């Protein structure tokens, strides 16, 4: 898909779901495509999936939809939905390939609380981009101030390493 990024979404578990069995999770970044986990048939209200899903995230996407459903005799029933802002795991504040561990409240179609979904999200970065980032970070670190150490005690021979704290004042 042009102008898209790939997310690695790991659906970990659910908590306090009103479904008693056969729960699964559907993840959507746009209305036309989705991917889903396998059914957890014995997790009850606390299912565990621990399943990684690859999701194409179009550049225009603002939300990731996570929907917990359960299989019933009459078809699939939506248990709860979480609308996750893409800004929660993208942006300039996080390094490339950063793993976000997230928990979100699920709501049913009426807006009533219907449990919690636990997941992790990582923006997949091509290997050549990671190598370029490591090279540029190495070059930038040569301009930083050195770390300073001070002796701990006269006889210990150990050194305390201080972390530089920069101040604008």
């Amino acid at each position: 898909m042009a102008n898209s990024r790939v997310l690695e979404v790991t659906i970990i578990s659910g908590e306090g779901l009103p479904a008693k069995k056969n729960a699964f999770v559907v993840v959507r970044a746009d209305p036309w495509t989705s991917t889903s986990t396998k059914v957890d048939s014995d997790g009850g209200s606390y299912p565990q999936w621990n399943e990684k899903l690859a999701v194409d995230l179009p550049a225009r996407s603002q939300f990731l939809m996570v929907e917990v459903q359960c299989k019933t005799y009459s078809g699939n029933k939506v248990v709860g939905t979480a609308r996750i802002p893409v800004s929660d795991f993208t942006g300039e504040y996080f390094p490339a390939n950063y793993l976000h561990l997230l928990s979100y409240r699920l709501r049913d179609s009426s807006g009533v609380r219907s449990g919690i979904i636990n997941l992790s999200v990582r923006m997949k970065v091509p290997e050549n981009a990671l190598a370029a980032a490591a090279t540029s970070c190495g070059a930038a670190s040569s301009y930083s101030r050195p770390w300073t150490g001070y002796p701990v005690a006269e006889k210990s021979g150990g050194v305390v390493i201080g972390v530089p704290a920069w101040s604008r004042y």
Side-chain angles (χ1 to χ4, degrees):
M1 181 178 260
N3 292 332
S4 70
R5 301 163 283 182
V6 177
L7 295 177
E8 178 185 273
V9 179
T10 304
I11 305 298
I12 300 169
S13 63
E15 299 176 28
L17 302 180
K20 299 302 176 206
K21 60 181 181 174
N22 297 332
F24 65 99
V25 179
V26 177
V27 179
R28 288 185 181 86
D30 62 48
W32 304 281
T33 57
S34 66
T35 184
S36 62
T37 65
K38 293 181 177 94
V39 173
D40 179 346
S41 56
D42 23 289
S45 295
Y46 293 85
Q48 293 187 353
W49 296 280
N50 293 320
E51 192 171 333
K52 287 185 183 181
L53 305 173
V55 178
D56 283 328
L57 181 68
R60 68 186 184 284
S61 292
Q62 294 180 347
F63 294 95
L64 186 68
M65 298 297 291
V66 177
E67 194 172 75
V68 177
Q69 299 182 13
C70 69
K71 288 194 179 285
T72 64
Y73 295 112
S74 60
N76 296 338
K77 176 186 171 196
V78 176
V79 173
T81 304
R83 188 174 172 200
I84 302 170
V86 170
S87 61
D88 283 3
F89 49 84
T90 61
E92 60 193 53
Y93 302 111
F94 305 108
N97 227 11
Y98 185 81
L99 180 66
H100 301 267
L101 296 172
L102 307 166
S103 295
Y104 287 92
R105 169 73 61 194
L106 296 168
R107 303 256 178 203
D108 66 11
S109 60
S110 303
V112 176
R113 294 177 178 180
S114 60
I116 294 173
I117 188 77
N118 301 304
L119 55 109
S120 70
V121 178
R122 179 189 318 255
M123 186 72 64
K124 299 273 287 196
V125 179
E127 291 298 323
N128 56 358
L130 284 176
T135 304
S136 66
C137 287
S141 66
S142 65
Y143 296 105
S144 65
R145 295 182 184 176
W147 291 57
T148 305
Y150 296 99
V152 176
E154 291 178 18
K155 296 181 182 180
S156 73
V159 174
V160 173
I161 297 175
V163 178
W166 313 122
S167 175
R168 295 182 190 195
Y169 305 104

